[in-house]
Amino acid sequence: MAGILIYSDKDNLALELLTVARLIADARGLEVKVACINNASQSNLLSAAGVRVYKIENPAVIPADVATVAAALKEASGQLDCSIVLLSSNRRGRELAGRLAQMLGAGCLTDISAVKVEGEQIHCQRNALGGATVATQYIDGDKQVLVIVPRAFTPASAQDGGSIVELAVEVLPSRVKLLEFRAKDSSSVDIEEAPVLVVVGQGLNSQEDLASVESLAKKLGGEVACSKPLATDKKWLPEDRVVGLSGKKCQPDLAVLLGISGQVQFTVGIRDAQVMVAVNSDENAYIHQIADYSMVADLHQVVKELNDALA
Amino acid sequence: MNVVVAMKQIPDLQQIRIRNRQPVLEDVPWTLGAIDKNALEAAVQIKEAQGGKVVLLSAGNEELEDTAKEALAAGADEALLIIDDELDKLGSAEVARILAAAIQRIEKVDLIIFGEGSGDNYSGQVGSRVAEILGLPQLGYASAIEVQEDSLRVSRSLEDGEELVELGLPAVVTVISGINEPRIASVTQILKAGKKPKEILEIGDLGLDLVDICPIKTESNLAPESDRKRVAVKTVDELVAALKGENLIGR
Ligand SMILES: Cc1cc2nc3c(=O)[nH]c(=O)nc-3n(C[C@H](O)[C@H](O)[C@H](O)COP(=O)(O)OP(=O)(O)OC[C@H]3O[C@@H](n4cnc5c(N)ncnc54)[C@H](O)[C@@H]3O)c2cc1C
């Protein structure tokens, strides 16, 4: 039976893709099929979610070389009669998406945050113009690679009826050699889960000032996050704390934005917060226009006073 | 070492206004993608260390000659521009075919560098598509590039770690913004930029057949609705009271 093929190297993301795939499959009368590449535990996990897993074991397929992964998925989608492939929009998934779409002659949309089947078309929402707008788009054609933002859908839960079958695919030898993988010492803090975020931007004077921001976040029952330059240019905080288009999309109950100008690539990651507070010394900063409560003030002074008030 | 840098012409996002949830693009000046400037800087640094040249490759509308000056001033040696007003309407699949066809006209290309995503659409497909069309190995999300004799050592920055990877040349690499700090061109460089060699083509010159592509159609493109309270607070006490009122403090 014709199907939708899903693949992610990350277990939780593969389960999220399964949720999206079922939504499309139900509307279209298709069967959901999962490709698991050199990953026995993921095969078991997904089959326990009630889906047919195609287990690909081939040491020539290596994640560091997306060309090999794309070649394997192209073979799989052909053998399994799947013209729609779902991937996840993390860095690996996005890099893979373009290569696979080109191999398949498919259209491709990345960073999809919502999906709706409208007759023959699969309408997908994604940010456009750097996040200033949200576009609804679809691929006009049979061959589609749809790349879904992490956490936009709930992971599929356990369900009966799954199975695992082996699938043989041939790929050309890799031209990319992995020499070393260094795990990032992630802060083990997940800003997407925090009910309160205190988000600092380039208005912060120094790395030393982070201590008082941390303490404010704790008092508010939340975590510290930041704008991109604070992590990528100044390197004061790890990259997994970045809010925005290339960072994380967060929906806390409360977001306190300190020394942030409010450019779209940032605000796209925080505009779903329930309540937004902005502190910026420039009264013309755009962030004031999109806040519930805004203060034209020096953030360091405000942090100090808030820490005292909440002591 | 001949390096091609592909840069996207985009509307200056800072200057886009929203009216009735619609983006207003009239009179918005054109610029080059922010991360594409990191790609250019990476290319110029490689050229400075290894010799060779940096070719700017861009496809855009009739303003492109002007938009591209900035990159020629910031270190590109020459430009290959595909100018066609159709380009504003084309998607990643079409643009990748156009860029790949243009690259095939450049003699002896060792390395092709892209930004990890464009400033406006941030789709991140074109680099991978071009690598596939040209049959080249690729590496995305580079945070450092080291050139060896006929290979590259590149650090790829992922959400959960850094991969150190070796790949042979020629290759396609996409970079993240953290890889470097793009230089600001001096006045003399800006003045000289106009005199650097440029080749200008139209899509028709590339002999492509773009009919077999599954195109992207846009149903709507609107700014999200926002209904923020926009209360100006003067003191921290006022702020604390407001947050208590929202039941956000002392829960
Ligand atoms: C493709 C792309 C993707 C991007 N993705 C992201 C992303 O995911 N996340 C992100 O954040 N950015 C992203 N950016 C960058 C984004 O465009 C902005 O450059 C960035 O968000 C600006 O960060 P900022 O507001 O901290 O700094 P600035 O714009 O420099 O603003 C600092 C603000 O602090 C205020 N200030 C200064 N001193 C004080 C003080 N003492 N007290 C109070 N206020 C003060 C200033 O008035 C100013 O408004 C992206 C850009 C591109 C092109």
Side-chain angles (χ1 to χ4, degrees), chain A residues 34-251:
Chain A
V34 182
C36 289
I37 300 179
N38 301 330
N39 191 340
S41 69
Q42 193 188 62
S43 304
N44 296 333
L45 180 79
L46 275 125
S47 115
V51 72
R52 159 118 8 164
V53 173
Y54 292 86
K55 192 173 159 185
I56 297 169
E57 295 290 332
N58 182 343
V61 184
I62 60 166
D65 184 356
V66 294
T68 62
V69 181
L73 292 174
K74 182 192 177 208
E75 275 258 341
S77 69
Q79 289 187 38
L80 303 173
D81 190 18
C82 295
S83 62
I84 301 173
V85 182
L86 300 190
L87 304 173
S88 48
S89 213
N90 57 350
R91 286 185 169 178
R92 276 244 204 274
R94 272 198 306 266
E95 188 180 347
L96 171 62
R99 189 112 197 183
L100 177 62
Q102 192 61 43
M103 279 183 189
L104 293 171
C108 174
L109 287 168
T110 60
D111 264 334
I112 297 170
S113 55
V115 168
K116 198 168 161 206
V117 180
E118 297 270 2
E120 286 300 294
Q121 302 159 0
I122 303 172
H123 285 195
C124 302
Q125 279 192 1
R126 61 185 311 278
N127 290 308
L129 294 174
T133 55
V134 178
T136 301
Q137 300 179 307
Y138 66 92
I139 297 165
D140 189 10
D142 289 342
K143 295 182 190 156
Q144 312 198 357
V145 175
L146 303 176
V147 193
I148 313 290
V149 165
R151 286 168 186 272
F153 293 84
T154 46
S157 42
Q159 191 173 311
D160 288 341
S163 58
I164 301 178
V165 280
E166 301 211 351
L167 187 75
V169 301
E170 294 296 326
V171 303
L172 294 171
S174 173
R175 288 174 289 174
V176 168
K177 196 159 110 208
L178 177 64
L179 303 174
E180 193 189 337
F181 179 81
R182 273 167 276 130
K184 272 188 192 151
D185 37 333
S186 68
S187 41
S188 75
V189 162
D190 190 349
I191 60 169
E192 283 160 311
E193 292 293 317
V196 174
L197 286 178
V198 178
V199 194
V200 281
Q202 296 210 91
L204 193 73
N205 282 340
S206 72
Q207 192 168 11
E208 284 69 57
D209 293 316
L210 274 175
S212 57
V213 177
E214 284 282 357
S215 123
L216 175 60
K218 284 282 153 310
K219 285 178 185 154
L220 289 168
E223 301 292 349
V224 174
C226 64
S227 68
K228 188 175 173 189
L230 233 64
T232 54
D233 304 347
K234 300 202 156 123
K235 307 208 185 322
W236 291 353
L237 281 162
E239 270 181 63
D240 59 5
R241 303 275 186 130
V242 174
V243 166
L245 187 64
S246 53
K248 299 203 167 149
K249 323 273 183 302
C250 305
Q251 316 176 5

Side-chain angles (χ1 to χ4, degrees), chain B residues 40 49 90 105 107 193:
Chain B
L40 173 65
L90 296 180
R105 297 168 67 109
E107 221 175 305

Side-chain angles (χ1 to χ4, degrees), chain A residues 254-278:
Chain A
L254 171 64
V256 181
L257 311 175
L258 305 169
I260 285 175
S261 58
Q263 296 185 39
V264 284
Q265 296 96 348
F266 170 79
T267 58
V268 64
I270 202 74
R271 66 186 172 208
D272 292 330
Q274 286 292 328
V275 174
M276 281 217 280
V277 174

Side-chain angles (χ1 to χ4, degrees), chain A residues 10 63-67 89-92 94-99 101-103 105-111 121 123 126-144 175-186 195-196 220-221 228 232-233 235 239-240 245-246 253-254 256 263-265 270-277 279 288-297 301-303 305-306 309-310, chain B residues 11 13-14 16 18 21-25 34-35 92-93 96-97 116 118-141 148 153 155-168 170 172 174 176-181 212-224 226-240 242-246 248-251:
Chain A
K10 294 274 180 287
D65 184 356
V66 294
S89 213
N90 57 350
R91 286 185 169 178
R92 276 244 204 274
R94 272 198 306 266
E95 188 180 347
L96 171 62
R99 189 112 197 183
Q102 192 61 43
M103 279 183 189
C108 174
L109 287 168
T110 60
D111 264 334
Q121 302 159 0
H123 285 195
R126 61 185 311 278
N127 290 308
L129 294 174
T133 55
V134 178
T136 301
Q137 300 179 307
Y138 66 92
I139 297 165
D140 189 10
D142 289 342
K143 295 182 190 156
Q144 312 198 357
R175 288 174 289 174
V176 168
K177 196 159 110 208
L178 177 64
L179 303 174
E180 193 189 337
F181 179 81
R182 273 167 276 130
K184 272 188 192 151
D185 37 333
S186 68
V196 174
L220 289 168
K228 188 175 173 189
T232 54
D233 304 347
K235 307 208 185 322
E239 270 181 63
D240 59 5
L245 187 64
S246 53
D253 301 333
L254 171 64
V256 181
Q263 296 185 39
V264 284
Q265 296 96 348
I270 202 74
R271 66 186 172 208
D272 292 330
Q274 286 292 328
V275 174
M276 281 217 280
V277 174
V279 180
H288 292 303
Q289 294 188 32
I290 56 161
D292 295 290
Y293 302 99
S294 76
M295 261 183 102
V296 179
Q301 187 61 30
V302 172
V303 169
E305 288 181 31
L306 272 174
L310 301 174
Chain B
L13 301 175
Q14 264 25 292
I16 294 178
I18 302 291
R21 298 186 61 202
Q22 301 276 359
V24 181
L25 289 164
I35 307 177
S92 307
R97 293 271 299 276
E116 140 269 301
S118 64
D120 55 350
N121 204 26
Y122 197 57
S123 174
Q125 294 177 40
V126 176
S128 292
R129 281 184 181 271
V130 167
E132 173 60 23
I133 298 168
L134 299 176
L136 297 178
Q138 73 177 89
L139 192 128
Y141 302 96
Q148 319 269 49
R153 274 192 181 198
S155 294
R156 174 195 268 137
S157 171
L158 295 168
E159 286 86 352
D160 56 355
E162 289 268 334
E163 264 178 4
L164 184 63
V165 174
E166 196 172 80
L167 68 170
V172 172
T174 79
I176 60 170
S177 64
I179 191 172
N180 56 38
E181 186 71 48
D212 56 335
I213 279 174
C214 298
I216 306 296
K217 304 275 174 174
T218 300
E219 282 284 301
S220 67
N221 185 23
L222 297 173
S226 142
D227 46 356
R228 295 288 166 189
K229 298 196 181 73
R230 295 184 63 178
V231 177
V233 289
K234 294 267 173 300
T235 65
V236 166
D237 287 347
E238 253 181 74
L239 179 60
V240 170
L243 294 180
K244 279 190 176 144
E246 299 263 7
L248 287 165
I249 299 186
R251 290 189 288 184

